[in-house]
Amino acid sequence: TAAWHDLGTVLKELHLHEEAVDVLRKAVDIDVNNALTHYYLGAALAMAARPHEAVESYRRAVELDPALPGGHIGLGHVLKTVGDQSGGIKAYERAIELRPNYGETYYSLANLKTFRFSAEQIASMETRLANDKLPTECRVHFAFALAKAYEDAGNFDQSFHHRSKIKTYLEKKKEKTIQ
């Protein structure tokens, strides 16, 4: 199972999505109770433009391992794709419960365009963004989500502040890369 699983994930990373789907289906057939294999199959199916099948795989992954944040994030992505916005929001919110410092999930919620962050969610994002140990990519995602949240609330000064922070974070990351 591990060899099929590893081969499938490599094929997915090489953007050979249909081949990855075939290999990961073999891995699932060998071990139907492996949450990670269902998760990677869901990702390969999503990349192969098969979102309805991806929903099934991601659902199976989080059924087998309810504490798998990536499974909930992936499920949120494909539910959004197939038009189940409320299901996508629930999946993203579950992912946030499991991994609250992962900014990409908040970014995904902000990208829904119709989603509005609560005051509590905004405060939580501000707190997380204040953490000096937060990776740059998470900072960028949080800043984007906060900019959207403040824009939706009509607080354009705060929205602009967070949009300008994105540029600052990316410039600092570039400086570190050059050094």
Side-chain angles (χ1 to χ4, degrees), residues 94-105:
R94 177 66 180 133
I96 288 170
E97 289 173 18
L98 295 169
R99 195 171 171 197
N101 285 335
Y102 190 58
E104 183 183 335
T105 313

Side-chain angles (χ1 to χ4, degrees), residues 45-123:
L45 287 162
M47 299 299 267
R50 294 160 66 178
H52 293 284
E53 293 173 73
V55 168
E56 294 173 29
S57 288
Y58 282 128
R59 280 195 172 135
R60 183 68 179 133
V62 299
E63 179 182 299
L64 290 168
D65 183 357
L68 183 65
H72 292 282
I73 294 168
L75 181 58
H77 292 337
V78 293
L79 286 172
K80 177 186 73 169
T81 299
V82 301
D84 182 359
Q85 189 121 336
S86 65
I89 290 168
K90 287 178 187 165
Y92 289 142
E93 288 176 337
R94 177 66 180 133
I96 288 170
E97 289 173 18
L98 295 169
R99 195 171 171 197
N101 285 335
Y102 190 58
E104 183 183 335
T105 313
Y106 296 87
Y107 175 89
S108 297
L109 282 170
N111 253 346
L112 291 174
K113 308 302 181 212
T114 58
F115 182 81
R116 300 294 179 257
F117 289 101
S118 68
E120 181 181 303
Q121 290 168 317
I122 291 170

